[in-house]
Amino acid sequence: MQGANLVGFNTNFLPTFPIFKTTQHLFCHLKQAYPTASSTFASMGNDEFTTTTTTTVRVPRVLTVAGSDSGAGAGIQADMKACAALGVYCTTVITAVTAQNTAGVQGIHTVPADFVEKQMLSVLTDIGADVVKTGMLPTVDIIRSICDVLKTYPVTALVVDPVLVATSGDELAGPAVLDVLREELLPMADLVTPNLPEASALIGGENVVNISDMREAAQAIHALGPRNVLVKGGHLPGTGGMVDVLYDGVDWHELSGSRVETHNTHGTGCTLASAIAAELAKGHPMLPAILAAKQYLADTLQQSAGLNIGRGAQGPLNHLYKLSNWGKTSTERQFKPEALLLYAVTDAAMNKRWGRSTADAVRGAIEGGATIIQIREKEAETGEFLREAEASLKVARHYGIPLLINDRIDIAMACDADGIHLGQSDLPVAQARALLGPEKIIGVSCKTPEQAEKAWKDGADYIGSGGVYPTTTKKDNKTIGLDGLREVCYGSPIPVVAIGGISTSNAGQVMQEPRPQNLKGVAVVSALFNQADVVASTQALRSVLARTVKKSSPVVPLL
């Protein structure tokens, strides 16, 4: 994380750490092949196998004030793991020690308020914090101590997760605590994140059972003083999608998402609040921070769905799933076929025509509902392309969306993109797989079933097939039509995305039922990027796909 991400933050106590960049010998050959490339290559000696440079970086910091969970599914333990997964330094203040497991809470030992205050002062007078996140606050004195300390040592943001009842149903705070929470802590909060039972408790016990109730609750809680209220809809009845309601006193946002069917839900509230705090600590505004945190939680729930830890009703999450191999082989890839639903392919000439950068185009497409991005650049010098790719990848990573590079494996490796898309005349797939390793995504353009089968055997993850319709983005591109597309699909052992001349007027025809089971989405260029408003054009196409595809992709909710 660069210091620029923290402009305007209180950095009196912001620590610095060295960061080390190590490059493999392949980059030495790339330097020779691309002598005009950026300093990523140019600073390396021809005979170097490894180059190490030291840079000072500012580290985003979250201080979590919460209870300890001996089962490590919620509380302090969940907060630390979520922050670590999102690249943020997490310090802790423990308010209570619980005897707790997947079956419930067996006991609570409250930490004295003066010792809670001492822990906070130890952290804030040395390491400091950008964001404070609170969880279980079991006594009135503890809440008042926190308020007193924060008045002396203010932070950029205070996130309050009003932990009143554990996932298991065990009560963690009484009526007196609720009163002081309302009257003294909430007015200091930048965000409060109640679930439906907690929202009900905060507004005096009124039922909160639907979206209309959630809006009324958010408005009532906002009147208590917090700048933003996020009422979480995980307890809404039904097994389909779910909605969270965000209110800032002026604007409303209904943030939709797909429900993951799993019993491993212990600590989801702690995890979401900590993830939001982590994103705020990086310097992101409130709404993007919440969206990024929701995506992290959705991915974590999905990755944790099959875990079997403990014998109770609520199992824990695997917050650090990217670092673990539980249930996976060492060569398993992270590619999700549903990510192909709306595949946005940028075009440098179109972006230039409309006066926007590639990164801005990527942001607009993602905010409009694109589920995967490909950067295609045919004109820029290598150094310029690398800078464009790095800026675009930063945007995509913020939203949790895969980003691939078209053709250029050197750029893909230099910026650590999520993968590469190759044409029939580009680097052979087998060589690309050998260079990128097993976890990167590789797509290949194919017009025939024979090409598709070869791509699969060589290690590709998906096929891009077309042009389905005539297109102006590629000259002399043979059109295969819908029949040709289906022929490739039926002959391909791996997922297929349709490409070529696709727009809002014909995307429904491409994806209509009955369709081949492995046809997962459409790749689009002009209909998204040769438009004045990328967000609106992407939203329009996503709406068409949502109406056409019965089981829509869970990767990015259509807001």
Side-chain angles (χ1 to χ4, degrees), residues 64-83 90 92-96 98 100 133-136 161 163 167 172 266-271 274 319:
T64 172
V65 184
S68 171
D69 174 1
S70 56
I76 287 284
Q77 288 83 351
D79 298 343
M80 293 185 70
K81 288 184 282 187
C83 287
C90 183
T92 64
V93 169
I94 296 176
T95 60
T98 69
Q100 188 173 172
K133 175 261 176 187
T134 66
M136 179 184 177
D161 182 21
V163 178
T167 307
L172 300 176
H266 183 47
T268 49
C270 305
T271 298
S274 295
H319 296 83

Side-chain angles (χ1 to χ4, degrees), residues 2 38 51 62 93 101 138 224 261 333 433 447 449 526 548:
Q2 299 301 317
S38 74
T51 296
V62 168
V93 169
N101 54 29
L224 297 174
E261 293 303 321
R333 296 167 196 160
R433 177 60 70 197
K447 292 183 180 294
S526 300
T548 305

Side-chain angles (χ1 to χ4, degrees), residues 314-344:
Q314 284 92 26
L317 303 175
N318 181 13
H319 296 83
L320 302 174
Y321 66 87
K322 290 185 178 180
L323 301 180
S324 66
N325 287 318
W326 301 343
K328 296 187 294 185
T329 65
S330 60
T331 58
E332 183 176 348
R333 296 167 196 160
Q334 300 302 309
F335 173 63
K336 301 176 182 178
E338 61 267 22
L340 298 173
L341 179 67
L342 206 176
Y343 192 140

